[in-house]
Structure formats: C-alpha cells, structure tokens
Amino acid sequence: FSVMRGRVANVVTSRRHSQFVSRARISVEALFPFGARVWGWDLSSLENIAQAKGKLNELLVQHKVISIPEQNLPPHIFEELARCFGSNLLPVNQEGDKFVQLYIVQDRGDGVRASDFWHSDLSYLPVPGKATLLYALEIPDGNGGPTEFVDMVDALERLPPAMRAAVLSTKGAHHRKSFTGMVGRPECVHEPTRLTGDGTHALFMSPGYTAGLVGLPREQSDYMLQRLWGVCFQPSRILTYEWSVGDVIVWDNRSVVHRARTLELKPGARRCMLRASVMEEEPVP
C-alpha cells in the first residue's frame, strides 16, 4: 500500500495540524442539504477510533455522507475504522481473510463501468452494502475524478403522488450488469424502498443496478424507470465531492446513491485509494 505519490505531501505537511486539532472538539461543516465534513479527528490509532465510534455512526445516519480530512491511516487501521460501522466486511480475496482493497484508476479508456452510473453498492445481493469507505492515497492535480451523491430519502419524498404510488406497488429487479442493458434473470429482487438508520425510508432503485420493475412489461418498466430517474437526479440535488489526499469518505448505502466521474481523468492521471465495504447483517427485503 506504499503507493502514495502525487499530492501525498499534503498528508505529511498537515499531520501536525491533524494532531493538534485532535485534542480539540470536532467541528462539523455542512456540505449540502446532506453531507458533512468533520474536522478535528485524528483516527490513526485504535484508541482514537474506539472513542469516535459512537459519534461516527451518529453523524453518518444524520448526514448520510461524511468526509474526514487530513488522515494518515495504515491499512489495518483503515480496516478497524470500517468495523466501526458494522462487523460484516466484504472480503476482497478468495480466501476471505482480507477486507481492504487497493483501488487504482488510471488510463481506463472509454469503456463504461457500473461506477459511472448512479448506484447503491452491491444492491444486486440479498445482503447488500450498508456503508462504504474510501481513503484517498493519491489524487491527480486538477481533476481527481469527483464522486457524486444523491439523497434517496429526499428523492422518494419528491416523487409526484401518482409516480410514487406506482413505484411503491412494485419491486426492483437488481443485477450487477443492468447498466449494460443486457441482462437475463435478476440476481436479486428488493422492495422499492429501504429502511434507513433513522427509521425513514429511501428509494432503493438506481440506474446502475436496477434492471427493471417486477411484473411490468419491459417497455412499460423502462418508461417508468426513465421518468423516475428524471425526478431523482436533478442537478440541483447532486452533492459533488472533490477529493484531496488524506480524505476519508463514508457513505450510507441505505440512504444515498453515488457515482464516480473517473472518465474525466486525464491520460496518465492516477487515482489511488483504499476501499472497504460494510455489508448488512441480514438480507434486505
């Protein structure tokens, strides 16, 4: 994991500041109607993570996306940070004993990926993602491939009454390849909404992984989903996060969807992160 280049010097030069502010109370900066940046935490030790666990979960439920800047985390510490949000981490190897992925994007070309489309992580599984963490090791100058988020609790509330009633009367057929438009049987069927951490419901469908609506002819299903996406993903409702080295971002897959704009990276530009996925403990309807 020692592949920190580019703007990695920012972590080193800001380390003193991070150590200093860790002694003070944290401050929370609103990023949007949802989303927050949390200043004042140094999460580089197991002790500090243990002390912050309760507040981390509280802030995630409240803000749905939290950014914790100026961190300097070895992989094993990053893994323990992920465990603050749940014990069921997604393995990243066949042996099932590694849970932190080194995630590098460079010279990816024009081919599309699921991450280019709005999605809730691993929604095509009976036990989908609960929280996802990314830690920025290396971010190219200029355009680091921002990550965008939409609040699906808000999206559900914004649906016109007739559309809301139609959506709530069906279920979503999820598939990991649905963004290609070429899928057969769904990998998983979920209810149209998902219970969030504060007891509200969020729309649990996305262009990336929702292949269709159960029980509707394909043409009708596609038409309804396109109308649905038009309401959900209005530009004024999108939180765009510009990365800096040392940023940790945690998002709540129960309440938001996201996409990565890495197609915008310039040739040769390299974006390197650590990633961990916290899964639900039980199947989600």
Side-chain angles (χ1 to χ4, degrees):
F1 294 104
S2 58
V3 289
M4 305 184 190
R5 301 183 303 172
R7 295 191 337 232
V8 69
N10 293 352
V11 174
V12 178
T13 56
S14 66
R15 189 75 178 107
R16 292 180 182 176
H17 173 67
S18 180
Q19 290 174 334
F20 172 76
V21 296
S22 68
R23 302 188 185 101
R25 298 181 62 182
I26 64 169
S27 61
V28 180
E29 171 196 355
L31 297 176
F32 207 55
F34 69 100
R37 183 181 284 111
V38 186
W39 298 95
W41 259 330
D42 173 5
L43 299 175
S44 60
S45 72
L46 297 178
E47 179 183 5
N48 289 359
I49 289 174
Q51 292 174 353
K53 179 179 179 178
K55 190 64 176 179
L56 282 165
N57 280 276
E58 175 187 328
L59 289 172
L60 183 62
V61 170
Q62 178 182 355
H63 296 284
K64 303 177 176 71
V65 180
I66 56 174
S67 164
I68 311 165
E70 300 183 339
Q71 299 303 303
N72 193 356
L73 310 180
H76 73 284
I77 293 293
F78 178 69
E79 179 179 328
E80 288 305 310
L81 177 60
R83 293 187 185 279
C84 283
F85 302 96
S87 59
N88 188 19
L89 268 59
L90 179 72
V92 298
N93 63 337
Q94 291 185 344
E95 292 75 17
D97 59 356
K98 295 187 183 300
F99 305 95
V100 174
Q101 176 188 12
L102 181 62
Y103 186 51
I104 300 175
V105 178
Q106 183 177 21
D107 294 330
R108 53 164 294 187
D110 297 328
V112 295
R113 304 176 179 178
S115 60
D116 299 324
F117 298 84
W118 296 109
H119 65 284
S120 176
D121 284 331
L122 305 163
S123 72
Y124 51 82
L125 297 177
V127 180
K130 176 185 176 184
T132 303
L133 294 85
L134 286 179
Y135 169 43
L137 300 176
E138 180 182 349
I139 299 296
D141 292 325
N143 184 340
T147 301
E148 295 184 322
F149 301 91
V150 166
D151 180 352
M152 299 304 276
V153 176
D154 172 70
L156 181 62
E157 294 173 350
R158 289 188 287 111
L159 294 183
M163 182 183 295
R164 180 186 175 105
V167 169
L168 294 182
S169 69
T170 184
K171 295 184 179 182
H174 294 248
H175 196 287
R176 72 189 72 200
K177 295 292 185 182
S178 66
F179 68 94
T180 68
M182 298 179 292
V183 298
R185 290 186 61 181
E187 293 181 271
C188 191
V189 172
H190 288 296
E191 294 290 339
T193 65
R194 184 173 178 182
L195 189 65
T196 70
D198 63 3
T200 58
H201 282 83
L203 187 65
F204 192 31
M205 297 182 181
S206 69
Y209 291 145
T210 304
L213 300 176
V214 175
L216 295 183
R218 180 61 181 268
E219 184 175 331
Q220 183 180 354
S221 171
D222 289 349
Y223 173 74
M224 185 178 292
L225 286 176
Q226 288 307 310
R227 291 184 60 214
L228 184 64
W229 307 149
V231 175
C232 293
F233 304 117
Q234 297 173 8
S236 63
R237 301 289 178 161
I238 297 173
L239 165 60
T240 300
Y241 190 86
E242 302 284 353
W243 289 91
S244 295
V245 168
D247 285 350
V248 172
I249 284 194
V250 190
W251 64 84
D252 191 335
N253 286 293
R254 299 170 296 184
S255 54
V256 301
V257 294
H258 66 285
R259 67 179 180 184
R261 285 169 37 194
T262 54
L263 277 171
E264 300 176 8
L265 293 176
K266 297 178 180 179
R270 173 181 165 107
R271 193 178 88 154
C272 181
M273 300 185 175
L274 297 186
R275 177 187 177 99
S277 298
V278 183
M279 310 297 288
E280 292 278 18
E281 298 291 338
E282 302 288 341
V284 169

